[in-house]
Structures are given as C-alpha cells and as structure tokens.
Amino acid sequence: MNTNYIDELNESQCAAVTYNDGPSLVIAGAGSGKTRVLTYKIAYLLEQENGYNPWNILALTFTNKAAREMKERIARQVGMERARYLWMGTFHSIFSRILRAEATFIGFTSQFTIYDTADSKSLLTAIIDQVLREKVHEELLRKYGNRPDLEEKEKEKVIELKKIYKPGVVQARISNAKNHLVTPTGYAANKEAYEGDMAAKMPAIRDIYARYWDRCRQAGAMDFDDLLVYTYILFRDFPEVLARYRDQFRYVLVDEYQDTNYAQHSIVLQLTKENQRVCVVGDDAQSIYSFRGADIDNILYFTKIYPNTKVFKLEQNYRSTQTIVCAANSLIEKNERQIRKAVFSEKEKGEPIGVFQAYSDVEEGDIVANKIAELRREYRYGYADFAILYRTNAQSRIFEEALRKRSIPYKIYGGLSFYQRKEIKDVIAYFRLVVNPNDEEAFKRIINYPARGIGDTTVGKIISAATDHGVSLWAALCEPLSYGLDINKGTHAKLQGFRELIESFIVDQADKNAYEIGTNIIRQSGIINDVCQDTSPENLSRKENIEELVNGMNDFCALRQEEGNPNVSLTDFLSEIALLTDQDSDKADDGERITLMTVHSAKGLEFKNVFVVGLEENLFPSGMVGDSPRALEEERRLFYVAITRAEEHCYLSFAKTRFRYGRMEFGSPSRFLRDIDVHYLQLPHEAGVSRAVDEGAGRFRREIEGGFTRSASPSRAPFGSTSSEQRERPKAQIIAPSVPRNLKKVSTVSPSNGVQATSSTSASIAGVQAGQMIEHERFGLGEVIKVEGTGDNAKATIHFKNAGDKQLLLRFARFKVVE
DNA sequence: GACGACGACCTTTTT
DNA sequence: GGTCGTCGTC
C-alpha cells in the first residue's frame, strides 16, 4: 500500500486530487495523467479522516476496460476489500444494476433483457414494415375505397417507402431522441422533430418510435439508450428513489466527460444538483463521438451548470516528445470551439513528424511497412511498439497485405466481436428466452433454429396475433387458440413442442447454475447436432466458438463461486455479457504484434511509433462532413487524438490514388496536413508539397533500454478471455460424445456444482496459512495475507502480484501452494 | 427451405 | 471490392 502517492503528483494534479469542497472540472490534456488523477482522487476520498465509504462513491466511465483498470489501480492504493465496494463502472452497467433493483417502479421485472444494436435494428425493421403497410393501406382505402385490385399498387408503394425508411437511419433518429430524453409522447409533440422528419420524408417516424417503445416494453426489453432514459425517468418520477441513491452516492466522478450525451449529463445532474459533490474529468479536444450523441457542450458549459465549479487544467504531457505535442497543439489551435490550454512536454525534443506521399494505396502500405522495418533495425523497437491508425476499417486490408508480405506480425481491432457472431447469438438467444420468455428478438431468432419446421408464415401469424392482442409472442405461442392463431394441427404440435422445450429449461434453471443449464440447453436444443453435422471449416469454427462461450460460462461461475457467490444464475451471466464488448476480453497482449485500428478505437492508448494513414480529402476528414464546421472540427479532434497517441515517432501518409467501392479514385492531401505548423514536419521532397525541412528540429538518439516491452496492465476480462494462458486449461466437453474428434482431452465435470475439479484443487488447501505463496490458475502468483473462517466458509485474502488483492473462498479456489 | 443470382449499399461505434 | 438482403427456382 502506498500512502505517499500525493508526492508522485505534479502541482496541478495534486490540486485536482485534493480539492473536494465543491464541483470540479478537470481538463486533462492528452497524456497528462488523467487516470492517475482520478484514481488518486478516489483513493484520497477513501482515506481522508471522516472520509467516504467506498459505496458512497460513484465513478462512471465509458468502457468496462477503463473501469476495471481504475478499480485495480485503486485497489493497489487502498486494498481490494475496500475497492470492491466502490460503485465503479460504465454508465450502462451501473444504471442497469440500479434498474434491475428498482425495476418494478418503471413497470419492468428485474429479469429484463438488454437488446443490443442488432436486436433493436431487427425489431425496427419489422416495425417499419408493419407501419408502412398500414399507412399505405389506410391511405389507399381513404382515397379509393375498398378495391382489391389495388393490392399490387399497395405493395409497390410499400417497397418504395422502405427505400426511404432505412432501419439504420430510423434507429439513429430514435436513438438521438432517447439520448435527448425525448419519449414517444414528447417526440410526437415536438415540432422540431416533426419538421426534421418531414424534411427527411419520414413523417411516420413518430409512429414507428411509439410502436418500438411499446414492443420493447411488451418484450421486457431495454436497448442501450433505454438504460439511460429509464434511469432518468426513475429518478424523475420517484423522488424517494432518487433520494435514496443521492444520499448513497455522496461523491460522483465521471471520466471522459466530453463524451457524455444529454441523458448522461442529466442523470449526473439529478444525483448531484443538491450536494454539488461532483468531479468530471475530460478533454474537449478529444471529443470524437458526437455521432453517438456525445455533446461537447456538456464539458464546454459545465461551469454554467455548476456555477461554483473549480477548474483544473492538466497541461503537462508525459507521453510524447516536444515535437509531437507542439505539432498537435498547432493543429488543434485551428478549432474555434474549445477550452484553451497550453499542453507542453518536458521530454526530448524528438524528431519531426514525417510525411509520406504515395502514388497509390498499395504503395502507401509498402512505405509504411518498410518504414517499420527500418525503425526496428535502427532503434530495436519491438513490434508492439507500432500502431497504424486509419479513419475507416476498410483501409486495413492494404496494410494487412503489405505486412503479411514481409512476415510482420500484426493484429487488427474492429470487425465482428465474439458476441456478435451468429452461433453465439443463437445460443445466447436460448438463454435469453429462458430468462425472459417475452423477449421477442430471442424468440424470432430461435423459433426455427435448429430447423423444426416453423417457417416464416407461421412466425408471421404469431407476430400479427400477438400485436393485435397486445401480448408477447411467447404468450401467443402458449395459447394459440385464445389469440385466434390460424394454424393446422401439425404446426400446432411443432409450436407446442418448442414451448415445452423452453419450459423444461425454465424449470431446469431453478436448481442449476448458469454453466450447467447452459450446457443442457446447447445439448438438448439440438444446437450441438446442427454444428456437428459435418466437419466443414465453418462448422468447426462455430463449434469452437460455442465451446469458448461455454468455457467462459464455466469460468464465470467458478469465479463467482470463489468470491463467495454460490448460486450463479443464467440471469447473472446474461446481465454480465449484455454490456460486454470485444475490447473487454483482451486477447490483445498475446505478444509482439503491430496494432492496426481506427483512430476512434485508439483513444486512450499510446504507442512508441504511430502511423496515421490515408490523410486525404474525403477520407480524413471524412467526405461526410460536407460544409458543417462542427463536423470538420470533430474530424480535426480525431486527427489530434491520432497524433497524440505517439510517444516517440509519428508519421503521416497519404496516397494520390486509392481504390474505393471498386473504383480508382484520385485524392488530394488532407487539409489537416496544412493545419500543422510546418516547423514540426518533415515533408516529402515533391513539387508542390515540398517545403524547407526544419534542420533545427535536430535528431535525438534514443537510449535503447534493452529488449523490453512495455508491461501491459495485467487486466483481464472477468471470464471468457481468449488468452493463451487460459486456452491451455482443460476445456469442458460440450460436444456430443459421438463426435469426439479434434477435441482435446477434457476434464470431468463434477456433478455437484458443475465446476471443474482440477488437479490444483489439492488437499493442501486445507492447510493454507498466511505468509504462504500460492499459484492460482487464473491470477497467478500471490501471497496469502490472512485466512479466516473454517470449513466451507474458510476464506483467504491473497495479494496477487499481477492481479491485486482478492478474497477467495477456499472451497472453490483453484490454486496450489508453491514452496 | 435451401441455394444461387442479382442489385444496392457503403464512416467512425466506448454501451 | 466485398457484404447483405431479396427474389426466383428446385
């Protein structure tokens, strides 16, 4: 435990940490130790005399990763036994926790489903179709009366309209409304919204929104935006509930405040308006998520909302060379809307930022790959010291090819996440339906998967019967007769078969943990058979993914049990994964690789060497900015984020021609290249772009610090990680015994609790004492601090070298004593 | 209900 | 250029 951490802070960091008499706004320039300030501030709050209890502190972040890392760092300061009771997490996860506890107030159950973006889009597609049909039908009826011969015309009209009502666009508008806390009623009454819809030729959006809202409620489901909207409504309509949380959260901290939207801002205000104990940290220059509803005004005008705000500016950059910092400053200066600050670095001056011109996108790939090889030779960098950042994911392919050609290892971020894969979504849909049978999207997904002869026609009938009677699809399925379902005997039997299957799982669920019920479902639903039908590569990979999921569930249950939570239900598992993203299961640190990612996903990261590529007009800045100055400024901030990821070397490149949408296109260098003071650039020796190279920038010799790599934080996904360490552990067998090929030998599953009994759960655990060193399967080496309780309740506090302090129930803990 | 052909589409994406 | 959704055929 480190008690003198205050000494490690610079003056402004220290001031920000120790001030807590009122609202504070910490403007944290890139690389200025923002996370350090937040963690130390929380530690400081906990350790003050008459200080705060951990559960009095609410700390909100945007990513699970940020929350986890911060919690670990705080645990290092104040110990895990206190840190674990902090309310620290993403907006969405904290609010879903609150909503599950208070679900009845807003007419939900605590089992509510969380629809991901795909679910919500799929539901919207269905609703758009429905609403348009009805509208067109009504209109023709009104105009011409009942004429069956107009059916064709009706169909055509619907198809035409569907081209305008694109699900993605409709979804964005509804999401935007929710982010501004506008409910369907409010939307219908909102003149501005209606005019916007008319301008977009989509007057029916208000109806679509209303129906979407109702259908979600009917299904007992919330989308990501609803988690915010309903939290706001809960606090607004039930002052006694708000009072409870307001009294509990005596101090509220928000990370990345520049990325908050109106709803998030409003909820923070609900909680803090009265006592004003709030601290927000952020950098307006790094606000790059306005397309997701983030409103930079929240940070720009924070001091207007909280008039007594004390503002702290962290301006010393500890990450980058002076040249990189100055170049970035000269760029961001071109923005109007910002909080002025003077970021500076006291590191070496460093080398100028190299600018490369390529004739084609392919050549750009070659130039970058060659430069990487050159830098590696010259400075002995590891592969992990490099990142290639681009504006769009589509640009990654060229660089992949260039790197592959030279056998340079790389990893790509982005693309389909684990939980977005079809086979995983199918399995999860079963889980979801078992937990919440009203879940419409889960229902539609699996009613005929694996194929059981229930086709689209039947599903269509169920849907219209359900909507006509205002019940869920499940309710309609259970009582087809009462809801006037017109189906034949055979279909009826198939439907009831499905109902019985799901009901058997529901019954099963009562006395089984998530892992057991999960494997049961996968076996008995027929998913296994479907996946094992043949050994095609796709099926093999699907099988592996499902195994991965099951292993994740096993880990999840085991971990929760170790922490003293014996009954891990399917609901627990689902609510955990609903808000997980791929970034959370960091398969990242599996060695020496170059990183390829979009600038957006690079936010918050740092690399010794950064290549920002594709700096062309209509690409970076994106062609979508049009003539909107606001959008252009956001693109500029995005470029600012890109440059400030670099610690030692930064390179910018553009190509004169590029393949896009299958066509060769000509491009011109990005206007952003001209926004950077030429003093900090090393321009290519080409006519037109060439300028005198600044010799004064000098050259710095980097001290080569031996063959090290930056030690990545030991953070890890709560479970389901794909790291190699865990791959080596025995896997649970879920595949039908008839097809055991290719499967590694697996351990037996103990019938009592469903958790693997492994060799490391040895008898020696009975004699664990303080002071011993142990090796845990998951957390690695650690020292036993103390042991309390006896028998089944025996609990050890262990200080892990890489994972911080943990309290584990010996009964379940999987470790062995080492000498 | 499965499969192949054809056409429309295309930014970024913390949850 | 690559993906996804729709439509027509067996």
Side-chain angles (χ1 to χ4, degrees):
Chain A
M1 224 173 274
N2 177 3
T3 45
N4 293 323
Y5 51 85
I6 295 292
D7 299 343
E8 294 174 15
L9 301 170
N10 69 30
E11 207 175 311
S12 43
Q13 289 174 332
C14 184
V17 165
T18 53
Y19 176 82
N20 48 50
D21 298 333
S24 53
L25 166 63
V26 181
I27 301 293
S32 64
K34 172 188 67 129
T35 311
R36 165 177 280 211
V37 164
L38 259 179
T39 52
Y40 286 1
K41 190 179 184 83
I42 292 171
Y44 183 81
L45 290 170
L46 289 173
E47 296 194 326
Q48 282 297 91
E49 257 175 79
N50 306 319
Y52 294 81
N53 293 309
W55 52 88
N56 292 144
I57 294 174
L58 173 66
L60 297 166
T61 65
F62 278 84
T63 64
N64 295 302
K65 198 172 158 207
R68 200 168 54 234
E69 283 174 4
M70 216 185 299
K71 203 166 197 169
E72 273 163 17
R73 286 171 70 163
I74 294 169
R76 250 174 271 157
Q77 300 294 340
V78 303
M80 190 44 121
E81 61 276 21
R82 290 168 80 190
R84 68 188 297 188
Y85 294 108
L86 286 167
W87 279 66
M88 173 170 285
T90 63
F91 280 92
H92 292 82
S93 70
I94 295 284
F95 293 167
S96 76
R97 184 169 159 191
I98 293 174
L99 288 172
R100 284 195 200 281
E102 319 293 344
T104 46
F105 285 99
I106 47 166
F108 279 81
T109 73
S110 61
Q111 319 278 307
F112 67 80
T113 301
I114 297 173
Y115 277 172
D116 66 17
T117 328
D119 292 321
S120 116
K121 199 168 183 172
S122 141
L123 178 56
L124 271 173
T125 311
I127 290 174
I128 291 169
D129 189 70
Q130 219 177 32
V131 170
L132 292 183
R133 266 171 214 283
E134 286 173 19
K135 291 258 161 194
V136 170
H137 187 76
E138 274 168 33
E139 194 192 322
L140 291 181
L141 205 64
R142 206 173 44 240
K143 267 195 195 151
Y144 306 106
N146 191 8
R147 285 195 14 210
D149 56 306
L150 285 178
E151 224 170 76
E152 272 305 306
K153 192 181 162 129
E154 198 173 305
K155 268 189 195 156
E156 276 169 31
K157 197 109 197 241
V158 170
I159 290 172
E160 209 174 290
L161 279 174
K162 270 210 228 167
K163 285 183 187 146
I164 303 173
Y165 287 82
K166 290 182 202 137
V169 176
V170 175
Q171 186 178 37
R173 290 185 89 88
I174 292 177
S175 174
N176 188 37
K178 287 183 176 177
N179 287 156
H180 286 91
L181 298 173
V182 177
T183 58
T185 327
Y187 197 89
N190 189 317
K191 206 171 145 234
E192 210 178 312
Y194 190 66
E195 279 166 3
D197 289 347
M198 287 305 272
K201 296 201 181 350
M202 294 192 281
I205 290 209
R206 46 162 75 175
D207 302 296
I208 296 168
Y209 183 17
R211 197 167 306 188
Y212 175 71
W213 182 276
D214 292 341
R215 285 274 276 280
C216 283
R217 288 192 68 94
Q218 190 69 255
M222 295 192 197
D223 64 22
F224 290 140
D225 302 321
D226 286 333
L227 293 173
L228 308 178
V229 176
Y230 280 116
T231 302
Y232 178 81
I233 291 176
L234 173 73
F235 288 159
R236 183 196 63 190
D237 294 353
F238 300 93
E240 70 278 16
V241 178
L242 173 62
R244 229 183 322 121
Y245 285 96
R246 202 181 47 211
D247 293 347
Q248 186 191 331
F249 302 137
R250 293 174 49 214
Y251 210 111
V252 178
L253 302 101
V254 186
D255 190 17
E256 306 276 19
Y257 198 74
Q258 76 280 0
D259 289 334
T260 51
N261 60 34
Y262 179 72
Q264 288 159 330
H265 156 86
S266 303
I267 297 167
V268 171
L269 188 60
Q270 284 176 317
L271 287 167
T272 59
K273 192 168 185 185
E274 195 155 287
N275 69 20
Q276 299 272 310
R277 276 190 290 267
V278 57
C279 169
V280 305
V281 180
D283 181 4
D284 55 295
Q286 295 184 61
S287 166
I288 55 173
Y289 280 103
S290 75
F291 69 96
R292 305 260 288 116
D295 188 349
I296 191 172
D297 288 350
N298 285 344
I299 194 164
L300 293 181
Y301 299 120
F302 185 83
T303 52
K304 302 264 186 305
I305 306 287
Y306 296 89
N308 297 318
T309 298
K310 193 147 179 171
V311 180
F312 300 92
K313 288 186 185 175
L314 309 182
E315 294 173 314
Q316 179 164 5
N317 175 308
Y318 293 93
R319 177 187 295 151
S320 316
T321 62
Q322 291 184 27
T323 303
I324 291 169
V325 168
C326 292
N329 283 346
S330 71
L331 168 78
I332 204 68
E333 228 173 60
K334 311 293 186 293
N335 270 10
E336 278 302 315
R337 293 165 53 80
Q338 61 171 316
I339 298 169
R340 299 284 156 186
K341 51 191 147 327
V343 181
F344 66 98
S345 165
E346 286 181 358
K347 291 183 74 175
E348 304 88 338
K349 190 165 183 190
E351 292 181 24
I353 293 180
V355 179
F356 302 130
Q357 169 184 267
Y359 287 96
S360 68
D361 46 1
V362 177
E363 197 201 15
E364 185 185 31
D366 288 335
I367 290 176
V368 169
N370 288 339
K371 189 70 192 178
I372 289 172
E374 184 191 318
L375 284 166
R376 269 176 53 79
R377 275 196 305 275
E378 193 175 341
Y379 297 95
R380 307 210 151 269
Y381 285 120
Y383 287 119
D385 295 329
F386 294 89
I388 300 174
L389 308 181
Y390 34 76
R391 178 70 241 270
T392 70
N393 279 310
Q395 289 164 259
S396 71
R397 248 196 54 240
I398 302 272
F399 292 95
E400 278 183 77
E401 276 161 26
L403 294 172
R404 211 166 24 215
K405 218 161 56 186
R406 292 167 181 75
S407 310
I408 298 176
Y410 61 88
K411 55 179 181 248
I412 296 189
Y413 288 73
L416 264 198
S417 89
F418 183 71
Y419 294 101
Q420 313 265 10
R421 299 210 165 100
K422 186 190 168 297
E423 61 272 19
I424 299 304
K425 291 208 77 174
D426 289 337
V427 175
I428 303 279
Y430 271 93
F431 297 170
R432 276 166 48 177
L433 201 63
V434 169
V435 167
N436 170 17
N438 292 326
D439 184 335
E440 174 171 342
E441 290 309 303
F443 183 101
K444 285 192 288 198
R445 200 172 178 96
I446 57 170
I447 177 89
N448 199 32
Y449 174 80
R452 47 175 73 85
I454 304 173
D456 290 347
T457 323
T458 310
V459 176
K461 283 179 188 168
I462 298 176
I463 293 176
S464 48
T467 17
D468 287 352
H469 292 85
V471 296
S472 70
L473 305 192
W474 176 254
L477 171 97
C478 288
E479 294 182 68
L481 296 179
S482 354
Y483 298 113
L485 252 187
D486 173 30
I487 44 169
N488 63 36
K489 260 221 168 97
T491 309
H492 183 263
K494 286 172 192 160
L495 290 181
Q496 295 317 305
F498 178 71
R499 177 178 62 84
E500 280 158 21
L501 180 73
I502 299 298
E503 275 176 352
S504 76
F505 295 143
I506 295 175
V507 173
D508 224 22
Q509 193 201 358
D511 52 87
K512 290 206 167 75
N513 76 18
Y515 169 71
E516 293 167 295
I517 178 78
T519 48
N520 259 358
I521 288 174
I522 290 164
R523 280 201 208 102
Q524 290 170 22
S525 62
I527 293 178
I528 294 279
N529 291 341
D530 182 63
V531 173
C532 291
Q533 257 175 7
D534 60 87
T535 49
S536 63
E538 308 91 71
N539 264 356
L540 205 66
S541 125
R542 289 168 66 201
K543 194 173 78 179
E544 279 170 8
N545 284 331
I546 294 177
E547 274 167 24
E548 191 70 42
L549 177 71
V550 173
N551 287 330
M553 295 180 82
N554 195 5
D555 281 0
F556 178 73
C557 292
L559 193 67
R560 289 292 172 99
Q561 280 190 334
E562 285 183 37
E563 284 170 349
N565 179 357
N567 302 314
V568 188
S569 68
L570 203 50
T571 315
D572 295 337
F573 180 73
L574 280 183
S575 46
E576 179 89 7
I577 62 168
L579 298 170
L580 274 191
T581 58
D582 222 29
Q583 260 97 34
D584 298 321
S585 53
D586 52 352
K587 55 188 176 191
D589 37 288
D590 64 342
E592 274 291 288
R593 288 162 187 284
I594 291 184
T595 300
L596 274 66
M597 54 169 57
T598 61
V599 183
H600 279 94
S601 23
K603 195 175 129 205
L605 304 179
E606 56 187 17
F607 303 90
K608 291 216 165 67
N609 307 291
V610 168
F611 292 83
V612 189
V613 300
L615 281 161
E616 294 134 45
E617 283 298 301
N618 290 323
L619 183 60
F620 201 170
S622 157
M624 310 294 282
V625 302
D627 49 10
S628 154
R630 267 194 178 220
L632 184 68
E633 293 209 343
E634 175 143 326
E635 293 284 316
R636 195 178 278 116
R637 291 193 293 268
L638 192 57
F639 188 33
Y640 176 81
V641 168
I643 292 174
T644 53
R645 299 308 96 199
E647 297 171 36
E648 295 170 4
H649 294 102
C650 182
Y651 299 94
L652 314 175
S653 67
F654 62 93
K656 289 179 148 180
T657 63
R658 175 177 300 279
F659 256 86
R660 275 226 275 186
Y661 310 139
R663 307 193 68 85
M664 168 89 91
E665 282 182 7
F666 291 88
S668 50
S670 169
R671 68 189 85 176
F672 291 157
L673 289 171
R674 269 171 283 141
D675 286 343
I676 300 178
D677 188 334
V678 68
H679 188 68
Y680 307 110
L681 296 180
Q682 165 124 32
L683 291 162
H685 303 284
E686 290 287 331
V689 260
S690 175
R691 300 232 188 99
V693 178
D694 174 37
E695 291 296 335
R699 200 145 301 190
F700 90 90
R701 267 304 125 72
R702 180 175 169 275
E703 296 274 323
I704 298 160
E705 299 150 67
F708 71 98
T709 49
R710 236 171 358 98
S711 64
S713 90
S715 73
R716 176 158 296 148
F719 60 87
S721 158
T722 48
S723 81
S724 55
E725 177 215 342
Q726 286 175 37
R727 258 217 189 104
E728 284 155 23
R729 291 206 295 101
K731 283 192 172 188
Q733 184 165 19
I734 57 148
I735 301 302
S738 54
V739 270
R741 101 190 98 235
N742 283 342
L743 265 184
K744 288 181 201 136
K745 186 62 194 135
V746 296
S747 72
T748 42
V749 172
S750 103
S752 63
N753 57 17
V755 173
Q756 300 164 1
T758 66
S759 57
S760 47
T761 315
S762 65
S764 66
I765 280 176
V768 166
Q769 307 166 359
Q772 277 177 331
M773 288 301 290
I774 58 114
E775 185 173 359
H776 189 273
E777 270 194 14
R778 168 180 290 272
F779 303 124
L781 280 178
E783 186 188 349
V784 181
I785 306 291
K786 65 178 174 195
V787 181
E788 17 179 20
T790 51
D792 277 358
N793 293 322
K795 192 166 72 172
T797 306
I798 298 161
H799 178 73
F800 289 101
K801 243 169 118 180
N802 293 321
D805 286 5
K806 305 261 180 213
Q807 290 196 328
L808 303 178
L809 278 185
L810 291 181
R811 182 158 55 121
F812 298 117
R814 294 177 297 177
F815 62 80
K816 61 185 176 201
V817 177
V818 295
E819 300 315 317

